[in-house]
């Protein structure tokens, strides 16, 4: 795509086009959610965007890939949600998203393509806490099969067709990428990963956003009734688990996460998104 475009214009102009397309995609998601009368989802998505560094995504093609996959995945989910749910096609949906992410992405921040659709599904079709956790496990497994399966199929085909040692090399790379920055799998290395990935958010801008979120949550709970909110606190547990997914990702991919923290720090937007939905779920269940 890039070469034909550069025959007609400069890379800076391409970046402007990229920013326009991404902004248009975000606008379509917000409009789609509000048309379905899911304003809490629209608010949570909008508030989480600064933590994905949305303002800088357009400047890099590598950073744009996962964001475009997320946009198209959410638009498809919003458009065909009821059909996917009624015909039990959500398993195929998450499998397809995992495959697409693995095929196009350069291992930047792929976890967002799982967590955001998963949060939206739970909010619109959530049942009991036990069933919600089962849903998280099943859909995450489907996404993982698609994601890992696409990688593995490349390795297997390479070995079969070219008589190379691709699988051996791939396993060695996985072993390296999942080690801590200090070698091995020590807990000290994990804390170094957390420190590096949270460092971009250590400024007054993000502190102000977090304070506003906390104040809004307190007002929301008080307005709904503190006792009722505490009684229904368990309804937020599935969303709290989704909020911990970035930290589990850091634990599993310590070496990669500390070397490429400019990419991986963006998955912390999942935590913001999921916790806001959890608070919304508590108050919604209280009203019911």
């Amino acid at each position: 795509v890039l070469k034909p475009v550069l025959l007609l214009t400069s890379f800076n102009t391409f970046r402007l086009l990229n920013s326009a397309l991404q902004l248009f995609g975000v606008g379509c998601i917000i409009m789609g959610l509000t048309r379905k009368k899911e304003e809490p989802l629209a608010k949570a998505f909008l508030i989480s965007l600064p933590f994905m560094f949305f303002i800088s995504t357009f400047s890099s093609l590598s950073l744009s890939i996962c964001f475009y996959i997320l946009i198209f995945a959410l638009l498809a989910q919003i458009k065909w949600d009821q059909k996917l749910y009624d015909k039990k096609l959500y398993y195929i949906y998450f499998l397809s998203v995992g495959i697409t992410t693995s095929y196009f992405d350069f291992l930047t921040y792929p976890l967002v393509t799982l967590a955001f659709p998963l949060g939206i599904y739970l909010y619109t079709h959530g049942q009991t806490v036990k069933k919600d956790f089962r849903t998280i496990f099943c859909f995450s497994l489907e996404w993982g099969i698609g994601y890992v399966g696409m990688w593995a199929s490349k390795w297997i085909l390479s070995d079969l067709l070219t008589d190379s040692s691709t699988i051996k090399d791939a396993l060695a790379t996985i072993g390296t990428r999942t080690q801590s920055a200090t070698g091995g799998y020590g807990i000290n290395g994990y804390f170094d990963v957390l420190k590096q990935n949270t460092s971009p958010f250590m400024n007054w801008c993000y502190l102000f956003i977090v304070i506003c979120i906390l104040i809004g949550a307190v007002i929301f709970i008080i307005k709904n009734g503190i006792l009722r909110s505490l009684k229904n606190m368990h309804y937020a547990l599935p969303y709290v688990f989704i909020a911990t997914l970035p930290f589990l990702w850091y634990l599993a991919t310590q070496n990669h996460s500390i070397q490429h923290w400019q990419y991986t720090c963006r998955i912390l937007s999942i935590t913001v998104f999921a916790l806001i939905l959890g608070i919304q779920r508590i108050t919604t269940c209280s009203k019911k």
Side-chain angles (χ1 to χ4, degrees):
V1 175
L2 188 58
K3 275 194 173 183
V5 171
L6 290 178
L7 288 173
L8 304 174
T9 185
S10 66
F11 189 64
N12 284 333
T13 305
F14 183 82
R15 282 175 166 173
L16 291 173
L17 176 63
N18 203 26
S19 65
L21 290 174
Q22 291 178 15
L23 186 60
F24 179 74
V26 169
C28 289
I29 291 171
I30 300 300
M31 288 190 293
L33 291 172
T34 51
R35 283 183 178 181
K36 285 182 170 289
K37 302 190 184 302
E38 297 291 353
E39 287 85 358
L41 287 172
K43 291 176 184 177
F45 177 70
L46 199 58
I47 294 171
S48 66
L49 284 180
F51 294 85
M52 209 183 297
F53 293 98
F54 167 66
I55 196 66
S56 65
T57 304
F58 72 92
S59 62
S60 167
L61 293 177
S62 296
L63 291 174
S64 298
I65 292 171
C66 254
F67 195 71
Y68 276 121
I69 295 172
L70 176 62
I71 287 174
F72 289 125
L74 293 184
L75 288 175
Q77 184 179 18
I78 294 167
K79 177 70 175 177
W80 295 298
D81 171 64
Q82 200 58 48
K83 186 179 291 186
L84 291 170
Y85 181 77
D86 292 340
K87 295 187 177 182
K88 302 187 186 312
L89 294 175
Y90 259 108
Y91 292 100
I92 304 299
Y93 169 83
F94 279 97
L95 181 71
S96 302
V97 172
I99 291 171
T100 306
T101 305
S102 179
Y103 185 80
F104 287 105
D105 182 48
F106 298 126
L107 199 58
T108 53
Y109 49 107
L111 195 62
V112 298
T113 65
L114 165 66
F116 278 83
L118 195 57
I120 290 177
Y121 177 89
L122 287 184
Y123 195 83
T124 53
H125 302 292
Q127 301 178 38
T128 63
V129 174
K130 184 178 180 180
K131 288 183 178 179
D132 285 351
F133 272 107
R134 189 184 305 159
T135 298
I136 292 172
F137 174 78
C138 291
F139 288 165
S140 298
L141 181 63
E142 288 293 330
W143 185 91
I145 290 172
Y147 188 82
V148 177
M150 174 54 73
W151 280 97
S153 64
K154 294 177 183 178
W155 305 333
I156 294 170
L157 287 172
S158 295
D159 269 14
L160 290 176
L161 299 177
T162 64
D163 195 28
S164 63
S165 59
T166 306
I167 294 177
K168 182 180 178 180
D169 294 340
L171 293 176
T173 303
I174 290 173
T176 301
R177 287 304 191 183
T178 53
Q179 287 183 354
S180 71
T182 56
Y185 299 89
I187 194 66
N188 290 332
Y190 178 64
F191 284 125
D192 289 339
V193 173
L194 290 182
K195 181 180 178 182
Q196 192 67 53
N197 279 269
T198 55
S199 61
F201 305 102
M202 299 302 169
N203 59 63
W204 282 105
C205 172
Y206 288 101
L207 180 61
F208 176 74
I209 296 174
V210 171
I211 290 173
C212 289
I213 292 173
L214 293 175
I215 293 173
V218 171
I219 293 173
F220 213 60
I221 291 173
I222 292 174
K223 186 178 179 180
N224 180 67
I226 297 176
L227 292 179
R228 281 193 300 174
S229 297
L230 290 174
K231 184 180 178 181
N232 292 286
M233 196 69 73
H234 62 284
Y235 287 112
L237 290 177
Y239 302 94
V240 172
F241 180 77
I242 293 176
T244 63
L245 288 179
F247 301 97
L248 297 176
W249 181 274
Y250 293 147
L251 183 63
T253 61
Q254 291 188 37
N255 180 274
H256 177 267
S257 296
I258 200 166
Q259 287 191 18
H260 301 285
W261 59 270
Q262 298 94 333
Y263 296 154
T264 56
C265 68
R266 297 164 190 265
I267 65 175
L268 288 172
S269 58
I270 295 169
T271 304
V272 177
F273 179 72
L275 291 179
I276 294 174
L277 289 187
I279 295 168
Q280 297 276 6
R281 174 56 69 192
I282 291 171
T283 56
T284 303
C285 292
S286 298
K287 289 177 182 178
K288 290 181 179 179

